Amino acid sequence: MRTKIQIWKVIALSGAMLWASGEVCAEALDSLSVKKTDTPTLSLSDHKVNSCCLLSSVDSLSFSRRFIHRIGLEARPEYIFPTNRFLKGENDNGRAISSGISFHLKYSFQFQPNTALGRVYRNAYQGIGLAYNDFGEPQQLGNPTSLYLFQGARIAELTPRLSLNYEWNFGMSFGWKPYDHDYNSYNKVIGSKANAYINANFYLNWMLSPRFDLATGVSLTHFSNGNTKFPNAGLNTIALKVGLVYNINRPEEALSKAVYQPVIPQFPRHISYDLVLFGSWRRKGVTYEDTQIAAPKAYTVFGFNFAPMYNVGYKFRAGVSLDGVYDGSANIYVDDCIAPIGGSCEQGFRSPSLNKQLALGLSGRMEYVMPFFTVGIGIGANVMHGGGDLKGCYQILALKIDATRNSFLHIGYNLQDFHNPNFLMLGIGYRFNNQRPKIHR
């Protein structure tokens, strides 16, 4: 009997302590809610509040409640840029290929607005999408399907319910009808059944209700195979974007300005060092007696980037990169071509000495850093090279996908003189001296 009484005493005492701590936390949160600055200073009392309340009310939410889950549907009527005679009308049907439409089904997740990550990255969202394209020429171009990753965020808040946003898409498209010497010889635009899909769009996001958003804007798309197969002129479109997003678990308070502002750790400016190793393959065409001839095989490309980067803040870093590359297709030539079949010579292609296929360059780099993904651009020139194809300046567009805190996957594309496609850069990377604060999600 005495044991039961003691147990009830313990239960009662524990309940009283939990009730008291809840009252303290509520009062502390009320006192914090009047703070208006984006980066409040931490005091001992704030630390106590953070430990007793913030973790329980925000950071200790279940996994499903830490994020807003979203399902989206989009339609994009497209205009096709006439960058090739095939698109202008030199094709089987004798008419211009100038319009199309794509339909998109997308899943994404977004950090809750009352979290530190939600504030730092301006309501960033990321996810996976599936698209179907119709260019009105299923026999000559096909009706490709695209599978892609995407990420977007707010650029500017115009009103509490209206914002200007951006979004990028990156993935692969399948189901193309590529060039074929016998059956699709006019199509000098698409050379492979699978092609990279790259898209950027800017749009107005209208928060209609706690559940629904309306998106209207402009979308730019590029399809190509990164010179992994010949021909590779690529297809470029501009489109109007109209979409509806269903927010499965968005709270009503997300439609108004939040009163509670979570504490964001101060960012220590520092220099980090990115080392990337990459490789790929590419096709090449050369001019022989005023005729463009495709090489009969693919050539190996591999190289490295070593980039000291100054980290300005959570979302931006810039620096320089030392870029080394071996391009097995650089400066190849034809010394004899007898009866080329399908625009290619099985014999007669020659490779130069090794020093004419190696280059070392310097490039300026800028990177936009977001959760899980980093988008970077670079412009540089080879300072040590064997001449010919390795002369001139080069441009790099790269996507880094976080694998661990310091390691990442690297997907890049190298252009020459702003218009000639060079090669893909598929690789891995590691970041040294990474001092970015860890923000609890």
Side-chain angles (χ1 to χ4, degrees), residues 19-66:
W19 176 84
S21 64
E23 290 294 315
V24 172
C25 286
E27 292 176 5
L29 284 174
D30 287 340
S31 65
L32 274 182
S33 66
V34 299
K35 297 183 179 182
K36 301 295 184 182
T37 60
D38 286 343
T39 55
T41 54
L42 284 171
S43 65
L44 181 60
S45 61
D46 290 342
H47 175 75
K48 290 179 179 178
V49 171
N50 187 60
S51 62
C52 79
C53 303
L54 301 189
L55 291 179
S56 62
S57 62
V58 177
D59 295 330
S60 294
L61 294 172
S62 66
F63 178 80
S64 62
R65 294 185 61 198
R66 289 182 184 178

Short mmCIF file of all heavy atoms in Angstrom, two decimals, residues 19-66:
data_model
loop_
_atom_site.label_atom_id
_atom_site.label_comp_id
_atom_site.label_asym_id
_atom_site.label_seq_id
_atom_site.Cartn_x
_atom_site.Cartn_y
_atom_site.Cartn_z
N TRP A 19 4.01 20.79 -15.86
CA TRP A 19 3.11 21.93 -16.00
C TRP A 19 3.85 23.23 -15.76
O TRP A 19 3.70 24.20 -16.51
CB TRP A 19 1.95 21.78 -15.00
CG TRP A 19 1.02 22.98 -15.03
CD1 TRP A 19 0.00 23.19 -15.87
CD2 TRP A 19 1.07 24.11 -14.15
NE1 TRP A 19 -0.63 24.39 -15.60
CE2 TRP A 19 0.02 24.97 -14.54
CE3 TRP A 19 1.89 24.46 -13.07
CZ2 TRP A 19 -0.23 26.19 -13.89
CZ3 TRP A 19 1.65 25.66 -12.43
CH2 TRP A 19 0.61 26.53 -12.83
N ALA A 20 4.72 23.25 -14.74
CA ALA A 20 5.47 24.46 -14.43
C ALA A 20 6.43 24.82 -15.56
O ALA A 20 6.57 25.98 -15.94
CB ALA A 20 6.24 24.27 -13.12
N SER A 21 7.13 23.79 -16.09
CA SER A 21 8.08 24.06 -17.17
C SER A 21 7.35 24.56 -18.42
O SER A 21 7.84 25.42 -19.15
CB SER A 21 8.87 22.81 -17.53
OG SER A 21 8.02 21.80 -18.03
N GLY A 22 6.12 24.04 -18.65
CA GLY A 22 5.34 24.51 -19.79
C GLY A 22 4.96 25.96 -19.62
O GLY A 22 4.97 26.75 -20.57
N GLU A 23 4.60 26.36 -18.40
CA GLU A 23 4.25 27.75 -18.16
C GLU A 23 5.46 28.65 -18.39
O GLU A 23 5.35 29.72 -18.98
CB GLU A 23 3.74 27.92 -16.72
CG GLU A 23 2.38 27.29 -16.48
CD GLU A 23 1.30 27.99 -17.27
OE1 GLU A 23 1.28 29.24 -17.27
OE2 GLU A 23 0.51 27.30 -17.92
N VAL A 24 6.65 28.22 -17.92
CA VAL A 24 7.88 29.00 -18.10
C VAL A 24 8.19 29.17 -19.58
O VAL A 24 8.52 30.24 -20.07
CB VAL A 24 9.06 28.34 -17.36
CG1 VAL A 24 10.36 29.05 -17.70
CG2 VAL A 24 8.82 28.37 -15.85
N CYS A 25 8.07 28.06 -20.34
CA CYS A 25 8.34 28.12 -21.77
C CYS A 25 7.38 29.06 -22.48
O CYS A 25 7.77 29.83 -23.36
CB CYS A 25 8.24 26.73 -22.40
SG CYS A 25 9.64 25.67 -22.00
N ALA A 26 6.10 29.00 -22.11
CA ALA A 26 5.11 29.86 -22.76
C ALA A 26 5.43 31.33 -22.50
O ALA A 26 5.36 32.17 -23.41
CB ALA A 26 3.71 29.51 -22.24
N GLU A 27 5.78 31.66 -21.23
CA GLU A 27 6.13 33.04 -20.92
C GLU A 27 7.38 33.47 -21.68
O GLU A 27 7.48 34.59 -22.17
CB GLU A 27 6.34 33.18 -19.41
CG GLU A 27 5.06 33.00 -18.60
CD GLU A 27 5.33 33.06 -17.10
OE1 GLU A 27 6.50 33.33 -16.76
OE2 GLU A 27 4.41 32.86 -16.32
N ALA A 28 8.36 32.55 -21.77
CA ALA A 28 9.59 32.90 -22.47
C ALA A 28 9.34 33.15 -23.95
O ALA A 28 9.89 34.08 -24.54
CB ALA A 28 10.62 31.78 -22.30
N LEU A 29 8.51 32.30 -24.56
CA LEU A 29 8.20 32.49 -25.98
C LEU A 29 7.45 33.80 -26.21
O LEU A 29 7.68 34.49 -27.21
CB LEU A 29 7.38 31.32 -26.51
CG LEU A 29 8.17 30.04 -26.76
CD1 LEU A 29 7.20 28.91 -27.13
CD2 LEU A 29 9.19 30.23 -27.86
N ASP A 30 6.56 34.14 -25.27
CA ASP A 30 5.84 35.40 -25.41
C ASP A 30 6.80 36.58 -25.36
O ASP A 30 6.65 37.56 -26.09
CB ASP A 30 4.80 35.54 -24.29
CG ASP A 30 3.62 34.61 -24.52
OD1 ASP A 30 3.43 34.18 -25.67
OD2 ASP A 30 2.90 34.33 -23.54
N SER A 31 7.81 36.48 -24.50
CA SER A 31 8.79 37.56 -24.41
C SER A 31 9.66 37.63 -25.65
O SER A 31 10.07 38.70 -26.08
CB SER A 31 9.67 37.39 -23.17
OG SER A 31 10.46 36.21 -23.29
N LEU A 32 9.95 36.47 -26.26
CA LEU A 32 10.76 36.47 -27.47
C LEU A 32 10.00 36.96 -28.68
O LEU A 32 10.58 37.45 -29.65
CB LEU A 32 11.28 35.05 -27.76
CG LEU A 32 12.58 34.63 -27.07
CD1 LEU A 32 12.93 33.22 -27.52
CD2 LEU A 32 13.73 35.58 -27.38
N SER A 33 8.68 36.81 -28.68
CA SER A 33 7.89 37.12 -29.87
C SER A 33 7.92 38.59 -30.22
O SER A 33 7.60 38.97 -31.33
CB SER A 33 6.44 36.67 -29.67
OG SER A 33 5.83 37.44 -28.64
N VAL A 34 8.32 39.46 -29.29
CA VAL A 34 8.35 40.88 -29.58
C VAL A 34 9.63 41.29 -30.29
O VAL A 34 9.77 42.42 -30.73
CB VAL A 34 8.20 41.70 -28.28
CG1 VAL A 34 6.87 41.39 -27.62
CG2 VAL A 34 9.36 41.43 -27.33
N LYS A 35 10.60 40.35 -30.40
CA LYS A 35 11.85 40.67 -31.07
C LYS A 35 11.60 40.75 -32.56
O LYS A 35 11.04 39.87 -33.16
CB LYS A 35 12.91 39.62 -30.75
CG LYS A 35 13.27 39.58 -29.27
CD LYS A 35 14.39 38.58 -29.01
CE LYS A 35 14.78 38.55 -27.54
NZ LYS A 35 15.89 37.63 -27.27
N LYS A 36 12.09 41.81 -33.21
CA LYS A 36 11.83 42.03 -34.63
C LYS A 36 13.06 41.85 -35.48
O LYS A 36 12.96 41.78 -36.69
CB LYS A 36 11.30 43.46 -34.85
CG LYS A 36 10.01 43.74 -34.09
CD LYS A 36 8.88 42.88 -34.61
CE LYS A 36 7.57 43.20 -33.93
NZ LYS A 36 6.48 42.35 -34.37
N THR A 37 14.25 41.83 -34.91
CA THR A 37 15.46 41.74 -35.71
C THR A 37 15.63 40.36 -36.28
O THR A 37 15.19 39.37 -35.70
CB THR A 37 16.70 42.10 -34.86
OG1 THR A 37 16.76 41.18 -33.77
CG2 THR A 37 16.61 43.52 -34.32
N ASP A 38 16.29 40.26 -37.43
CA ASP A 38 16.48 38.97 -38.09
C ASP A 38 17.53 38.13 -37.40
O ASP A 38 17.52 36.93 -37.47
CB ASP A 38 16.90 39.18 -39.55
CG ASP A 38 15.71 39.63 -40.37
OD1 ASP A 38 14.58 39.45 -39.90
OD2 ASP A 38 15.93 40.14 -41.48
N THR A 39 18.50 38.76 -36.73
CA THR A 39 19.58 38.01 -36.09
C THR A 39 19.70 38.46 -34.64
O THR A 39 20.61 39.21 -34.28
CB THR A 39 20.91 38.22 -36.81
OG1 THR A 39 21.18 39.62 -36.89
CG2 THR A 39 20.84 37.65 -38.23
N PRO A 40 18.79 38.07 -33.75
CA PRO A 40 18.84 38.48 -32.35
C PRO A 40 20.06 37.92 -31.67
O PRO A 40 20.54 36.85 -31.99
CB PRO A 40 17.54 37.88 -31.77
CG PRO A 40 17.22 36.74 -32.67
CD PRO A 40 17.70 37.15 -34.02
N THR A 41 20.61 38.70 -30.72
CA THR A 41 21.77 38.24 -29.97
C THR A 41 21.32 37.25 -28.92
O THR A 41 20.23 37.36 -28.34
CB THR A 41 22.45 39.44 -29.28
OG1 THR A 41 21.47 40.13 -28.50
CG2 THR A 41 23.02 40.39 -30.33
N LEU A 42 22.17 36.30 -28.66
CA LEU A 42 21.86 35.24 -27.72
C LEU A 42 22.33 35.64 -26.32
O LEU A 42 23.50 36.01 -26.14
CB LEU A 42 22.54 33.94 -28.14
CG LEU A 42 21.90 33.20 -29.31
CD1 LEU A 42 22.82 32.06 -29.74
CD2 LEU A 42 20.56 32.67 -28.91
N SER A 43 21.47 35.57 -25.36
CA SER A 43 21.83 35.76 -23.96
C SER A 43 21.64 34.43 -23.24
O SER A 43 21.15 33.46 -23.79
CB SER A 43 20.94 36.84 -23.33
OG SER A 43 19.59 36.40 -23.31
N LEU A 44 22.04 34.42 -21.97
CA LEU A 44 21.89 33.19 -21.19
C LEU A 44 20.44 32.80 -21.08
O LEU A 44 20.08 31.63 -21.21
CB LEU A 44 22.52 33.39 -19.80
CG LEU A 44 22.46 32.16 -18.87
CD1 LEU A 44 23.20 30.99 -19.51
CD2 LEU A 44 23.04 32.49 -17.49
N SER A 45 19.56 33.79 -20.89
CA SER A 45 18.13 33.47 -20.79
C SER A 45 17.60 32.95 -22.10
O SER A 45 16.78 32.05 -22.15
CB SER A 45 17.34 34.71 -20.35
OG SER A 45 17.49 35.75 -21.31
N ASP A 46 18.09 33.55 -23.23
CA ASP A 46 17.66 33.05 -24.54
C ASP A 46 18.09 31.61 -24.72
O ASP A 46 17.36 30.80 -25.30
CB ASP A 46 18.24 33.91 -25.66
CG ASP A 46 17.62 35.29 -25.71
OD1 ASP A 46 16.52 35.47 -25.13
OD2 ASP A 46 18.23 36.18 -26.32
N HIS A 47 19.31 31.29 -24.26
CA HIS A 47 19.81 29.92 -24.40
C HIS A 47 18.92 28.95 -23.63
O HIS A 47 18.62 27.86 -24.10
CB HIS A 47 21.24 29.85 -23.91
CG HIS A 47 21.78 28.46 -23.91
ND1 HIS A 47 22.15 27.82 -25.07
CD2 HIS A 47 22.00 27.58 -22.89
CE1 HIS A 47 22.59 26.61 -24.78
NE2 HIS A 47 22.51 26.44 -23.46
N LYS A 48 18.48 29.39 -22.44
CA LYS A 48 17.60 28.52 -21.65
C LYS A 48 16.27 28.31 -22.38
O LYS A 48 15.74 27.21 -22.42
CB LYS A 48 17.37 29.13 -20.27
CG LYS A 48 18.61 29.10 -19.37
CD LYS A 48 18.32 29.75 -18.04
CE LYS A 48 19.54 29.71 -17.11
NZ LYS A 48 19.29 30.38 -15.83
N VAL A 49 15.76 29.40 -22.94
CA VAL A 49 14.52 29.27 -23.68
C VAL A 49 14.69 28.33 -24.86
O VAL A 49 13.87 27.47 -25.14
CB VAL A 49 14.03 30.66 -24.17
CG1 VAL A 49 12.87 30.50 -25.13
CG2 VAL A 49 13.64 31.53 -22.99
N ASN A 50 15.84 28.49 -25.57
CA ASN A 50 16.09 27.63 -26.73
C ASN A 50 16.14 26.17 -26.34
O ASN A 50 15.60 25.32 -27.02
CB ASN A 50 17.41 28.06 -27.39
CG ASN A 50 17.66 27.34 -28.68
OD1 ASN A 50 16.87 27.44 -29.60
ND2 ASN A 50 18.75 26.60 -28.74
N SER A 51 16.77 25.88 -25.21
CA SER A 51 16.92 24.49 -24.81
C SER A 51 15.63 23.91 -24.29
O SER A 51 15.34 22.74 -24.51
CB SER A 51 18.02 24.37 -23.73
OG SER A 51 17.66 25.13 -22.58
N CYS A 52 14.81 24.70 -23.61
CA CYS A 52 13.62 24.12 -23.02
C CYS A 52 12.40 24.18 -23.92
O CYS A 52 11.49 23.39 -23.78
CB CYS A 52 13.29 24.80 -21.68
SG CYS A 52 12.47 26.40 -21.85
N CYS A 53 12.39 25.16 -24.86
CA CYS A 53 11.17 25.36 -25.65
C CYS A 53 11.37 25.17 -27.14
O CYS A 53 10.59 24.49 -27.77
CB CYS A 53 10.63 26.77 -25.43
SG CYS A 53 10.30 27.15 -23.70
N LEU A 54 12.40 25.84 -27.70
CA LEU A 54 12.51 25.84 -29.15
C LEU A 54 12.70 24.44 -29.69
O LEU A 54 12.16 24.09 -30.73
CB LEU A 54 13.68 26.74 -29.59
CG LEU A 54 13.57 28.21 -29.15
CD1 LEU A 54 14.66 29.03 -29.83
CD2 LEU A 54 12.21 28.79 -29.46
N LEU A 55 13.49 23.65 -29.01
CA LEU A 55 13.70 22.29 -29.48
C LEU A 55 12.41 21.49 -29.40
O LEU A 55 12.12 20.68 -30.27
CB LEU A 55 14.81 21.61 -28.67
CG LEU A 55 16.21 22.17 -28.89
CD1 LEU A 55 17.20 21.43 -28.00
CD2 LEU A 55 16.63 22.03 -30.34
N SER A 56 11.63 21.75 -28.37
CA SER A 56 10.40 20.97 -28.23
C SER A 56 9.30 21.46 -29.16
O SER A 56 8.55 20.67 -29.70
CB SER A 56 9.91 21.05 -26.77
OG SER A 56 9.61 22.39 -26.42
N SER A 57 9.22 22.79 -29.40
CA SER A 57 8.13 23.31 -30.20
C SER A 57 8.43 23.33 -31.69
O SER A 57 7.52 23.35 -32.50
CB SER A 57 7.79 24.73 -29.75
OG SER A 57 8.91 25.58 -29.96
N VAL A 58 9.72 23.35 -32.08
CA VAL A 58 10.07 23.43 -33.50
C VAL A 58 10.93 22.27 -33.92
O VAL A 58 10.57 21.48 -34.78
CB VAL A 58 10.79 24.77 -33.80
CG1 VAL A 58 11.20 24.82 -35.26
CG2 VAL A 58 9.91 25.95 -33.46
N ASP A 59 12.12 22.14 -33.31
CA ASP A 59 13.10 21.19 -33.80
C ASP A 59 12.74 19.76 -33.49
O ASP A 59 13.26 18.85 -34.13
CB ASP A 59 14.48 21.52 -33.21
CG ASP A 59 14.98 22.86 -33.70
OD1 ASP A 59 14.61 23.23 -34.83
OD2 ASP A 59 15.73 23.53 -32.97
N SER A 60 11.91 19.52 -32.49
CA SER A 60 11.56 18.15 -32.16
C SER A 60 10.26 17.70 -32.80
O SER A 60 9.69 16.70 -32.41
CB SER A 60 11.46 18.00 -30.62
OG SER A 60 12.72 18.21 -30.04
N LEU A 61 9.78 18.47 -33.77
CA LEU A 61 8.62 18.02 -34.52
C LEU A 61 8.93 16.72 -35.23
O LEU A 61 10.07 16.45 -35.58
CB LEU A 61 8.22 19.08 -35.55
CG LEU A 61 7.71 20.43 -34.99
CD1 LEU A 61 7.54 21.40 -36.14
CD2 LEU A 61 6.40 20.25 -34.26
N SER A 62 7.94 15.93 -35.49
CA SER A 62 8.15 14.70 -36.23
C SER A 62 8.66 15.03 -37.62
O SER A 62 8.49 16.15 -38.12
CB SER A 62 6.84 13.91 -36.33
OG SER A 62 5.91 14.63 -37.10
N PHE A 63 9.29 14.06 -38.27
CA PHE A 63 9.89 14.30 -39.59
C PHE A 63 8.87 14.85 -40.57
O PHE A 63 9.14 15.76 -41.34
CB PHE A 63 10.50 13.01 -40.13
CG PHE A 63 11.09 13.14 -41.49
CD1 PHE A 63 12.34 13.68 -41.67
CD2 PHE A 63 10.37 12.73 -42.61
CE1 PHE A 63 12.89 13.81 -42.92
CE2 PHE A 63 10.91 12.85 -43.87
CZ PHE A 63 12.17 13.40 -44.03
N SER A 64 7.66 14.28 -40.55
CA SER A 64 6.65 14.69 -41.52
C SER A 64 6.18 16.12 -41.28
O SER A 64 5.68 16.78 -42.18
CB SER A 64 5.46 13.74 -41.47
OG SER A 64 4.85 13.77 -40.19
N ARG A 65 6.33 16.63 -40.05
CA ARG A 65 5.87 17.99 -39.75
C ARG A 65 6.97 19.02 -39.87
O ARG A 65 6.71 20.22 -39.78
CB ARG A 65 5.27 18.03 -38.34
CG ARG A 65 4.00 17.21 -38.18
CD ARG A 65 3.41 17.40 -36.81
NE ARG A 65 3.06 18.80 -36.58
CZ ARG A 65 2.86 19.32 -35.37
NH1 ARG A 65 2.99 18.57 -34.29
NH2 ARG A 65 2.55 20.59 -35.23
N ARG A 66 8.20 18.62 -40.08
CA ARG A 66 9.26 19.59 -40.29
C ARG A 66 9.17 20.22 -41.67
O ARG A 66 9.72 21.28 -41.91
CB ARG A 66 10.63 18.93 -40.14
CG ARG A 66 10.99 18.53 -38.72
CD ARG A 66 12.37 17.93 -38.68
NE ARG A 66 12.70 17.46 -37.35
CZ ARG A 66 13.84 16.86 -37.04
NH1 ARG A 66 14.74 16.64 -37.99
NH2 ARG A 66 14.09 16.47 -35.82
#
